[in-house]
Amino acid sequence: MKTTSSVLSAAILLSAASAARAASDDQCFDFTPMSSVSTYLGATLDYSVADRICCHNHKFAEYRGYLAAPEVDFFGRLDPLVETVFYDSVCGLPLFIAPRGRTFDDFKKESLKHGWPSFRPEEMISENVIIHDDGRMESVCATHLGHNLPTGGVDRYCIDLVCMAGEPLSAGDERNQILQYIQQEQIINATELNTTSYTSSAEQYSGKTSNATAIIISVAVVGLFLVVVAFVCCEKPGWKRKGDEIQVGSSETSSTSIHEDDEENEIY
């Protein structure tokens, strides 16, 4: 009982903290992406997109295929023979090391297929990245990163390039203040990361993703139930028909659908 009470108390505190953070609207802790994002790896990235997507958004993304745009050419700027560390565009914390556990071509192929840089669990710096229950991902610096969209039974992190195009902060950068706000003790700074020995603790399948599929299944089950009930009722003696047609709710009920924002459907 004591254990259950402790878990409930922790959950309540976590919910309260999340609500307080949402109410304060302190995404990116009120900072903006570093200016170097616009020339990341020698590419030309849209800084206004980085600011909007990374620090003023939890839902939308840079356009699909942005990483392959001529002025970006993300994979053309990476060294295919080494692992690359990708940093938070706002606070400079390391987020991903790739490719790891697969070839450069596999990393490239999967990312280009989906239209955004796509990472796997072993490539995530798990101490610095948060996956919310709905699949939304952000760094511990409250920078929006993207979403978790599992593929093949394994988590796949679809990340906005503009939000992982940072670099380690210099000692005098005012963004170092962000680290003072972070209460997590296990965060790994750029200077602390040993890429040779580091092993991610991210789960292969976290179960944290969009619940749209579950909602679709629920609606389908409810719809099937209504059909069965209607059929049974029609076969019972004494039940009346109206115009030889059984009315099962209104047209709104019978045409239940799940609506998602059109732009959201294009994301990832």
Side-chain angles (χ1 to χ4, degrees), residues 7-98:
V7 172
L8 289 175
S9 297
I12 292 172
L13 289 173
L14 180 59
S15 297
S18 298
R21 177 171 163 180
S24 65
D25 191 27
D26 59 353
Q27 193 171 357
C28 294
F29 289 94
D30 294 327
F31 281 87
T32 57
M34 53 188 74
S35 59
S36 60
V37 166
S38 60
T39 55
Y40 178 62
L41 296 178
T44 300
L45 302 186
D46 191 326
Y47 184 85
S48 64
V49 171
D51 185 39
R52 178 169 57 87
I53 296 300
C54 309
C55 297
H56 300 91
N57 159 73
H58 284 313
K59 182 179 181 182
F60 299 111
E62 64 199 18
Y63 71 80
R64 180 171 188 159
Y66 184 61
L67 78 171
E71 72 276 14
V72 178
D73 186 24
F74 175 59
F75 283 101
R77 301 175 189 278
L78 298 179
D79 185 343
L81 301 179
V82 300
E83 295 180 331
T84 300
V85 180
F86 301 96
Y87 299 89
D88 188 297
S89 292
V90 178
C91 69
L93 285 180
L95 303 173
F96 303 97
I97 308 172

Side-chain angles (χ1 to χ4, degrees), residues 15 49 77 81 90 139 149 171 191 204 218 242:
S15 297
V49 171
R77 301 175 189 278
L81 301 179
V90 178
S139 74
L149 298 171
T191 56
Q204 286 296 298
S218 297
K242 183 176 180 180

Side-chain angles (χ1 to χ4, degrees), residues 188-204:
I188 296 181
N189 291 316
T191 56
E192 300 170 337
L193 178 63
N194 184 328
T195 57
T196 302
S197 62
Y198 179 79
T199 301
S200 176
S201 62
E203 299 175 280
Q204 286 296 298

Side-chain angles (χ1 to χ4, degrees), residues 164-176:
M164 45 163 266
E167 60 186 19
L169 297 178
S170 61
D173 195 311
E174 63 177 358
R175 291 177 180 78
N176 282 300

Side-chain angles (χ1 to χ4, degrees), residues 109-177:
K109 181 178 180 180
E110 182 172 62
S111 298
L112 292 177
K113 173 184 177 181
H114 295 286
W116 289 268
S118 293
F119 299 94
R120 292 295 182 162
E122 48 271 281
E123 297 171 324
M124 182 172 78
I125 309 299
S126 50
E127 293 82 356
N128 296 346
V129 179
I130 299 169
I131 307 178
H132 294 279
D133 289 341
D134 62 356
R136 180 174 65 83
M137 297 180 65
E138 65 178 354
S139 74
V140 292
C141 301
T143 303
H144 174 74
L145 298 178
H147 292 81
N148 177 33
L149 298 171
T151 300
V154 178
D155 281 0
R156 177 178 63 82
Y157 315 129
C158 231
I159 306 300
D160 289 293
L161 174 59
V162 293
C163 301
M164 45 163 266
E167 60 186 19
L169 297 178
S170 61
D173 195 311
E174 63 177 358
R175 291 177 180 78
N176 282 300
Q177 296 177 42

